Amino acid sequence: MLLAPRLQRLNAVTLTPFVRLVLGDDTAEVIRWNYETLGGSWERTGDLISRLKGAAVSDGHERSWSVILKIPGPIRPVIDVWQREPLLYGSGLLEKLLPPIRVPRCFGIEEPPGDEPWIWLEDVAGIPSVEWPMERFYRALRHLGECQGAWLCGARGPDYDWFNTGWWLRRDAIEA
């Protein structure tokens, strides 16, 4: 059976730099790995979220690791605002969010042949939002409001063309 071109690209050499970041050991060596597709497809271009996990030798011991690979889709012209996710992770803005808002750490963004960005993210454990009690949603909304409120109180927002959301706000207001 032929593997999807994307999956053919994955091997221990490709994974090693990200596994080393996950484990905090720049000498770790991947010895085995597998994947679980969380959303999308390895066979088609765009829209893939997958958890890669396995084992590596680190400091003479076998240690397990996991990382999330997110492929949002082919890179389009610079004006394509749908590529904001790799641009946002690459900008460093997410590391500056005020507590308690936190996002998974980004271990790297690659643009392999095929014009699709590969975003390597921290695998964060927790309770999926579909299982949250209503009180947890209220707390999340309050935290999001506190984070957003900082900009209303004088903090200056990022000055990137791709960060501008006015185009879709205007479009939705016109269509309503």
Side-chain angles (χ1 to χ4, degrees):
M1 176 174 110
L2 270 176
L3 294 175
R6 292 169 152 179
L7 197 50
Q8 290 175 356
R9 183 176 174 277
L10 287 176
N11 57 44
V13 174
T14 307
L15 293 169
T16 295
F18 305 107
V19 170
R20 288 177 174 176
L21 290 169
V22 168
L23 297 177
D25 177 359
D26 60 1
T27 64
E29 294 296 329
V30 174
I31 53 176
R32 69 179 167 277
W33 65 275
N34 59 27
Y35 71 93
E36 167 189 11
T37 301
L38 304 175
S41 169
W42 280 98
E43 285 76 33
R44 58 186 170 84
T45 302
D47 304 326
L48 170 73
I49 303 172
S50 193
R51 174 179 291 119
L52 296 113
K53 56 186 175 181
V57 174
S58 173
D59 290 329
H61 297 77
E62 187 173 308
R63 293 177 58 192
S64 37
W65 57 267
S66 66
V67 65
I68 299 294
L69 172 59
K70 190 168 188 181
I71 304 175
I75 293 177
R76 299 178 190 105
V78 175
I79 59 169
D80 185 355
V81 294
W82 294 114
Q83 292 304 313
R84 284 186 289 186
E85 187 173 17
L87 293 169
L88 183 60
Y89 272 108
S91 73
L93 290 172
L94 295 174
E95 289 105 37
K96 298 175 186 171
L97 290 175
L98 299 174
I101 300 290
R102 186 174 148 333
V103 298
R105 287 182 301 154
C106 179
F107 295 120
I109 300 168
E110 297 181 298
E111 295 180 23
D115 291 331
E116 55 185 18
W118 287 34
I119 307 170
W120 296 87
L121 300 169
E122 174 183 24
D123 188 0
V124 179
I127 300 170
S129 61
V130 295
E131 299 174 18
W132 285 0
M134 192 54 72
E135 295 78 31
R136 180 66 185 95
F137 281 103
Y138 293 141
R139 190 170 57 225
L141 287 171
R142 187 178 66 248
H143 292 163
L144 183 59
E146 290 167 357
C147 182
Q148 295 287 329
W151 287 346
L152 294 174
C153 295
R156 187 175 144 92
D159 191 24
Y160 296 112
D161 291 340
W162 52 264
F163 197 75
N164 180 353
T165 58
W167 67 272
W168 62 266
L169 289 173
R170 283 190 299 278
R171 182 201 65 204
D172 290 350
I174 290 169
E175 291 176 2

